[in-house]
Amino acid sequence: MRAKADDPPLLSEANAAFVQRFTSMNVAGRDAQNRPALARGLGIRVSPDRRTLTVFLSTTHSARVLQCLRENGAIAVAVTRPTTHETLQFKGRVREIVPLSVGDRAEIAAYRDSVIEELMRLGYRPEFVKTVLAGSEDSVAVKFEPDEMFNQTPGPKAGEKLAAQT
Amino acid sequence: MNLTLESIRRCFEGAIPAQIATSAPDGTPNVAYLSQVHYVDSGHVALSFQFFSKTRANVLANPYAQAQVIEPATGVQYQLSLQYLRTETEGPLFEYMKARLAGVASQTGMSKVFKLRSSDIYRVLDIHCTEPAVPESSPMPANHMPALRACSARLAKCTDLSSLLDELLAGLAQHFDIDHAMVLMFDGANARLYTVASLGYAESGVGSEVALGAGVIGVAAGQQTPIRIAFLTGDYAYSRALRDSLGEDGEKEIPFPGLAEPHSQLAVPIVAGGRLLGVLYVESEQKLRFTYEDEDALMALAGQIGFAMQLFEHNSEGGDEQPVVPALPASGAEVAVKLYPADNSVFVDGEYLIKGVAGTILWKLLSDHARGRSEFSNRELRLDPSLRLPDISDNLEARLILLQRRLAERCPCLRIEKTGRGRFRLAVERPVRMIESP
């Protein structure tokens, strides 16, 4: 069910701050035969009204997922913080896939720096993170409106659907 | 380059969580995090299922999935296209994954949360590397074939169980750089394993016992599966404290020799002809010390050990002819050897020595020795009705090695000396006073 314009946004301010830094993110789509595909996101931007998410994907590293997203728009994005395991998943329809803006490149770089900082706390070297997040040179911006948000932090409440906070 | 599961097994060590994408029948995709992708064989992986989840509902309706794993040294990612086949909730694979999950859970601070509900088995349809070209620097798995060959050659020269055990441990130390190891034999009658040889501990622990099904060693034996844990586990069931698993009075317990805090553990079953003979166990203070390749190599060695043990078991019964050699006169202070028939435990000067079958054997040998005999054969022990050996399949040779090594450690004035194939001598250096407890 689509959110109406006057409904509160699904993401709280805290959710928006959480997803954009220090996280690991993965994006799934599926093809016409309903076979899923998975790729790593290189950053995410939450619009000021918190109704649109823009996730960055490498065209060379994420070719299959991007093809699925272009074909049918069904998207799922999971975002987790490695040091806390706090995890959210968003599901929705892709509105458009566009080239990166200048601001997007800065966003990707800032996100990557935050992940390096996060994973260094777990003992990983910056080079490791740069390989994991490789492919940003040829990224595109995938914009979608999340219809659903789920708590996916490991534990008994994993999978719980989260409502917008009024 | 065609990627194989074997070439990317290091991605499955559990150091970094993997992800899985599935899709519901209505075409809604889903992403979830996986604690464990487990290598089953060249065409299959098993995924740990811990929580009732969308992933599970999706694959039951639409079996296709894609998993993403990371090579922990380089950060290179691989995508595995999968097809769900079936779920297992018991048996060797399940127990292996449950034990490994305990290690991963501790490593990630999730011990209270992670509990394996099932192992879900998937066929691997395709492996894709995210990097346009797999980097040259991507490390290849260590090649253990030369080390395996060297160990195997040493074992092939052995003519009895005692030298087989010694050569195995020396070979592991020299060719595999393994610092801590032990071999345990299976006692089917009592559903236990007893340590018969060890490497790298302050006390050898020979004679210490582990209950079948308890801890890494007991599960490896009970399920006849290797168990490899790459991290220190806080899970009580897999951590040390094996003593409590037996729940007996401490006086008759030989302390288990293992490390207090092993960060890596690997137990492989020793099986021959489908029959469990024992377990080879290695451990380390270093995390991620043992790899899939170590597991492969130790499983291969365990196979050779198993057949050799079986062979020596059948060949250890030398002829009946008994050279008559009078017992040497004993001298010095008297040693008091006391038998408790309830469990055939034997105490020497008030110190616990051994119990069970080995205790019974020692009592028989001392009784015969008191009547002037010092030469014995395995065959006569096997046939002696008073010993009531538990089973024809019980490894008498292993019992004798256990007794021999316990005597050497605790009571050097009594010695079992091998005199030929299936024959040995009991050397008694001090006068023995035998006391049978009522």
Side-chain angles (χ1 to χ4, degrees):
Chain A
M1 193 174 69
R2 283 296 159 111
K4 294 186 199 73
D6 53 352
D7 283 348
L10 202 49
L11 280 80
S12 67
E13 283 181 31
N15 295 150
F18 164 74
V19 298
Q20 294 181 97
R21 290 289 182 272
F22 306 110
T23 54
S24 164
M25 62 190 72
N26 288 278
V27 180
R30 52 88 184 172
D31 66 12
Q33 284 76 47
N34 204 13
R35 294 198 181 198
L38 185 60
R40 183 166 295 276
L42 302 178
I44 200 165
R45 181 206 293 282
V46 182
S47 64
D49 66 0
R50 303 199 302 275
R51 292 180 190 280
T52 304
L53 298 180
T54 303
V55 61
F56 307 111
L57 288 176
S58 160
T59 52
T60 49
H61 288 63
S62 315
R64 233 193 109 208
V65 170
L66 279 168
Q67 193 185 332
C68 293
L69 297 180
R70 286 197 171 96
E71 276 173 18
N72 57 60
I75 186 170
V77 180
V79 183
T80 187
R81 181 152 187 183
T83 53
T84 64
H85 307 284
E86 186 182 350
T87 308
L88 289 174
Q89 181 173 202
F90 305 96
K91 293 185 182 181
R93 296 254 149 216
V94 171
R95 203 175 65 214
E96 58 177 347
I97 298 175
V98 296
L100 295 189
S101 68
V102 175
D104 291 340
R105 292 199 186 276
E107 184 60 32
I108 288 172
Y111 163 77
R112 192 177 71 172
D113 289 346
S114 78
V115 178
I116 288 173
E117 187 185 326
E118 173 82 355
L119 289 184
M120 277 175 77
R121 289 188 198 116
L122 294 175
Y124 291 95
R125 293 170 295 109
E127 293 71 30
F128 172 88
V129 179
K130 286 174 186 164
T131 305
V132 172
L133 297 179
S136 62
E137 312 75 32
D138 60 8
S139 302
V140 289
V142 177
K143 292 181 189 294
F144 74 103
E145 279 151 34
D147 300 327
E148 294 175 306
M149 178 169 71
F150 300 88
N151 168 21
Q152 227 159 280
T153 306
K157 288 187 171 177
E160 192 179 57
K161 191 167 168 176
L162 301 173
Q165 287 171 2
T166 48
Chain B
M1 173 180 167
N2 274 332
L3 289 166
T4 63
L5 277 182
E6 285 75 16
S7 68
I8 62 165
R9 285 194 296 186
R10 72 180 71 233
C11 301
F12 307 150
E13 295 293 357
I16 302 168
Q19 303 89 35
I20 184 168
T22 56
S23 191
D26 71 356
T28 306
N30 187 76
V31 184
Y33 290 87
L34 289 166
S35 300
Q36 210 184 137
V37 177
H38 185 86
Y39 167 83
V40 175
D41 59 36
S42 58
H44 300 86
V45 292
L47 307 183
S48 59
F49 162 55
Q50 291 138 241
F51 309 106
F52 293 103
S53 66
K54 193 70 189 160
T55 296
R56 187 160 185 81
N58 283 357
V59 294
L60 291 175
N62 170 25
Y64 295 101
Q66 191 163 66
Q68 183 170 260
V69 296
I70 299 186
E71 209 285 308
T74 58
V76 171
Q77 293 163 93
Y78 297 90
Q79 278 129 10
L80 280 57
S81 297
L82 305 174
Q83 182 183 7
Y84 169 75
L85 294 180
R86 66 179 187 278
T87 288
E88 292 185 5
T89 56
E90 58 178 15
L93 175 72
F94 178 77
E95 292 297 334
Y96 188 174
M97 290 183 68
K98 194 172 141 193
R100 291 195 67 195
L101 185 63
V104 170
S106 296
Q107 170 71 8
T108 51
M110 302 298 271
S111 289
K112 290 194 170 62
V113 179
F114 284 178
K115 180 180 176 296
L116 188 66
R117 291 180 187 276
S118 68
S119 305
D120 294 346
I121 297 168
Y122 289 76
R123 175 179 294 132
V124 178
L125 304 172
D126 176 56
I127 306 171
H128 175 77
C129 183
T130 307
E131 292 290 319
V134 181
E136 292 289 322
S137 63
S138 193
M140 291 300 292
N143 179 6
H144 281 348
M145 291 302 264
L148 181 60
R149 173 181 168 166
C151 275
S152 184
R154 293 174 80 138
L155 297 177
K157 286 183 185 146
C158 296
T159 55
D160 60 26
L161 181 59
S162 187
S163 63
L164 185 78
L165 295 169
D166 293 344
E167 284 300 312
L168 171 65
L169 295 179
L172 290 176
Q174 187 181 339
H175 306 295
F176 286 91
D177 277 330
I178 284 171
D179 297 325
H180 306 285
M182 60 188 93
V183 180
L184 299 96
M185 300 297 293
F186 180 50
D187 173 354
N190 295 301
R192 287 183 184 182
L193 297 122
Y194 57 94
T195 308
V196 72
S198 70
L199 166 78
Y201 303 106
E203 295 279 334
S204 82
V206 163
S208 59
E209 295 185 340
V210 173
L212 193 67
V216 172
I217 293 167
V219 173
Q223 299 290 334
Q224 297 194 13
T225 176
I227 302 276
R228 187 167 55 90
I229 302 186
F231 306 100
L232 176 68
T233 167
D235 189 331
Y236 187 76
Y238 299 105
S239 62
R240 289 285 330 293
L242 286 164
R243 174 190 299 248
D244 295 346
S245 72
L246 294 170
E248 300 211 335
D249 55 322
E251 193 186 28
K252 293 175 190 170
E253 294 265 337
I254 298 167
F256 186 78
L259 296 172
E261 292 199 330
H263 286 251
S264 294
Q265 305 179 74
L266 169 56
V268 299
I270 301 170
V271 177
R275 186 163 62 90
L276 177 72
L277 300 182
V279 166
L280 168 61
Y281 173 75
V282 298
E283 60 183 353
S284 170
E285 281 152 341
Q286 195 188 324
K287 73 177 180 182
L288 289 163
R289 167 63 182 80
F290 305 118
T291 61
Y292 273 101
E293 286 71 32
D294 288 307
E295 183 183 317
D296 289 345
L298 263 59
M299 281 295 281
L301 282 175
Q304 187 179 359
I305 293 275
F307 276 115
M309 282 177 172
Q310 200 174 38
L311 182 73
F312 298 153
E313 207 175 303
H314 293 146
N315 276 358
S316 68
E317 319 247 317
D320 274 329
E321 69 278 19
Q322 290 289 316
V324 182
V325 180
L328 292 170
S331 62
E334 187 179 71
V335 57
V337 180
K338 189 169 185 180
L339 174 78
Y340 291 83
D343 59 358
N344 294 311
S345 56
V346 174
F347 286 69
V348 177
D349 285 340
E351 295 277 322
Y352 173 66
L353 178 74
I354 200 85
K355 69 183 172 196
V357 176
T360 319
I361 292 173
L362 177 61
W363 197 253
K364 179 215 159 33
L365 299 181
L366 286 171
S367 304
D368 284 2
H369 191 272
R371 291 191 283 271
R373 271 192 73 194
S374 61
E375 305 283 329
F376 300 90
S377 73
N378 289 12
R379 182 175 160 77
E380 72 176 286
L381 294 183
R382 167 92 58 210
L383 297 176
D384 189 330
S386 75
L387 289 180
R388 296 189 303 276
L389 283 178
D391 188 330
I392 187 69
S393 67
D394 190 77
N395 197 318
L396 176 64
E397 189 82 359
R399 303 281 187 178
L400 285 170
I401 291 171
L402 167 63
L403 178 57
Q404 180 186 41
R405 293 180 179 193
R406 276 297 283 175
L407 285 172
E409 286 176 10
R410 297 282 149 162
C411 183
C413 66
L414 301 177
R415 286 195 314 276
I416 288 178
E417 296 167 344
K418 206 168 162 66
T419 53
R421 184 161 65 89
R423 281 201 220 94
F424 63 92
R425 172 190 302 128
L426 178 70
V428 178
E429 289 183 347
R430 284 164 56 190
V432 174
R433 182 161 55 93
M434 295 173 68
I435 310 148
E436 191 160 344
S437 171

